[in-house]
Amino acid sequence: AQSVTQPDIHITVSEGASLELRCNYSYGATPYLFWYVQSPGQGLQLLLKYFSGDTLVQGIKGFEAEFKRSQSSFNLRKPSVHWSDAAEYFCAVAPSGGGADGLTFGKGTHLIIQP
Amino acid sequence: ETGVTQTPRHLVMGMTNKKSLKCEQHLGHNAMYWYKQSAKKPLELMFVYSLEERVENNSVPSRFSPECPNSSHLFLHLHTLQPEDSALYLCASSQDLTARLHYGYTFGSGTRLTVV
C-alpha cells in the first residue's frame, strides 16, 4: 500500500520569503501525486497534481512542485509567500495502477506567515 | 464555493442524540465520499459511493450510517456517538471512481462536529 510522509508539522516563513514544503511517498511504481491546501474552516482545495511527463508542475496561486523519482519526493514550492498563504497543506498519493482506497493523504503541514 | 455544499457547518450533539449531516453537489459527479479529519491524523476515508451504490466501507463503526438517495446528495446519519468522534467531517466528490485517481477530489467545507 502507498503511504505519504510530510516531515514538517509546522513551518514558519516571513512574508515575501520563499517556501518549500516537503513530501515523501512510498509506492512501488510512479504514483499520481497531489497537493491540497486547507484554509481555516474550509475544505481542501486542489493546488496541483502530477501524473507523468514534465517533473515540474505548475499549480494555482503561484505554487509549483517537483517530482523527484530518485528521492521519492514531491516538494511544494513558492518563490514569495503572501499572508493569505497561511493554511494547512496536504500531500496525497494515488496508485497509478488503480486502487480501491483512492488517495492516501499525509498528516499535513501547518504554514505560518510572519509579517 | 467549490460546488460541494455541506450542512450544517457546525454541530454540537449529545451522545444519545441522533443527527444527520448533509452533502450536496451540482457538479454532475457520479462518486461521493465521506472523510473524517481529526487533529494530527491523516484524513480517514469512511465511505465511498458510486452511482448511488456503496462501494467501500472502511471499517467504520455502525453508529455512522451513510445514505445516498441520488447522485447529487449524500447523508451521514449519526447516533449514539462518542466524544472521540468529534472531528471535521468532509464530503467530497469526483466525476467517477477512476477520476479521483487522476484529478483528485472536490471537497466541501466540512461539518465541525462536537460530541458532548
Side-chain angles (χ1 to χ4, degrees), chain B residues 6-51:
Chain B
Q6 290 188 244
T7 55
R9 292 296 303 273
H10 301 271
L11 178 63
V12 179
M13 60 185 289
M15 289 189 283
T16 59
N17 291 159
K18 289 184 179 181
K19 297 287 185 184
S20 295
L21 310 184
K22 180 181 177 182
C23 176
E24 185 174 357
Q25 58 92 6
H26 297 290
L27 301 170
H29 288 174
N30 292 319
M32 296 185 75
Y33 315 83
W34 281 115
Y35 272 91
K36 177 183 179 182
Q37 186 179 28
S38 304
K40 301 180 181 179
K41 295 175 68 174
L43 270 70
E44 301 172 50
L45 179 62
M46 300 176 72
F47 300 105
V48 179
Y49 276 83
S50 175
L51 296 171

Side-chain angles (χ1 to χ4, degrees), chain B:
Chain B
E1 183 59 50
T2 65
V4 178
T5 303
Q6 290 188 244
T7 55
R9 292 296 303 273
H10 301 271
L11 178 63
V12 179
M13 60 185 289
M15 289 189 283
T16 59
N17 291 159
K18 289 184 179 181
K19 297 287 185 184
S20 295
L21 310 184
K22 180 181 177 182
C23 176
E24 185 174 357
Q25 58 92 6
H26 297 290
L27 301 170
H29 288 174
N30 292 319
M32 296 185 75
Y33 315 83
W34 281 115
Y35 272 91
K36 177 183 179 182
Q37 186 179 28
S38 304
K40 301 180 181 179
K41 295 175 68 174
L43 270 70
E44 301 172 50
L45 179 62
M46 300 176 72
F47 300 105
V48 179
Y49 276 83
S50 175
L51 296 171
E52 303 150 44
E53 297 289 326
R54 190 191 303 184
V55 175
E56 299 162 24
N57 177 358
N58 292 19
S59 301
V60 179
S62 59
R63 56 186 183 269
F64 295 92
S65 174
E67 178 190 2
C68 188
N70 55 63
S71 59
S72 298
H73 294 85
L74 185 65
F75 294 89
L76 188 62
H77 303 299
L78 316 170
H79 65 97
T80 59
L81 294 191
Q82 304 299 310
E84 60 264 30
D85 296 321
S86 298
L88 181 68
Y89 288 84
L90 291 166
C91 175
S93 70
S94 65
Q95 183 63 49
D96 53 45
L97 292 181
T98 301
R100 64 176 165 163
L101 304 179
H102 299 163
Y103 304 107
Y105 301 106
T106 301
F107 283 90
S109 297
T111 295
R112 174 66 63 186
L113 174 67
T114 303
V115 181
V116 297

Side-chain angles (χ1 to χ4, degrees), chain A residues 23-55:
Chain A
C23 173
N24 294 97
Y25 67 89
S26 173
Y27 181 62
T30 299
Y32 299 146
L33 296 158
F34 305 82
W35 274 101
Y36 283 85
V37 61
Q38 184 179 32
S39 298
Q42 299 297 316
L44 279 70
Q45 180 184 19
L46 182 65
L47 282 176
L48 47 79
K49 56 186 181 286
Y50 171 79
F51 297 158
S52 64
D54 192 346
T55 57

Side-chain angles (χ1 to χ4, degrees), chain A residues 42-106:
Chain A
Q42 299 297 316
L44 279 70
Q45 180 184 19
L46 182 65
L47 282 176
L48 47 79
K49 56 186 181 286
Y50 171 79
F51 297 158
S52 64
D54 192 346
T55 57
L56 184 65
V57 294
Q58 303 297 319
I60 62 171
K61 305 186 179 187
F63 286 92
E64 66 178 26
E66 185 172 12
F67 169 62
K68 293 185 176 180
R69 184 192 307 274
S70 62
Q71 298 177 18
S72 297
S73 69
F74 188 56
N75 293 349
L76 181 71
R77 301 196 294 249
K78 187 170 184 177
S80 176
V81 297
H82 186 261
W83 64 267
S84 60
D85 293 324
E88 193 85 15
Y89 290 80
F90 295 91
C91 182
V93 59
S96 55
D101 292 336
L103 274 64
T104 298
F105 288 85

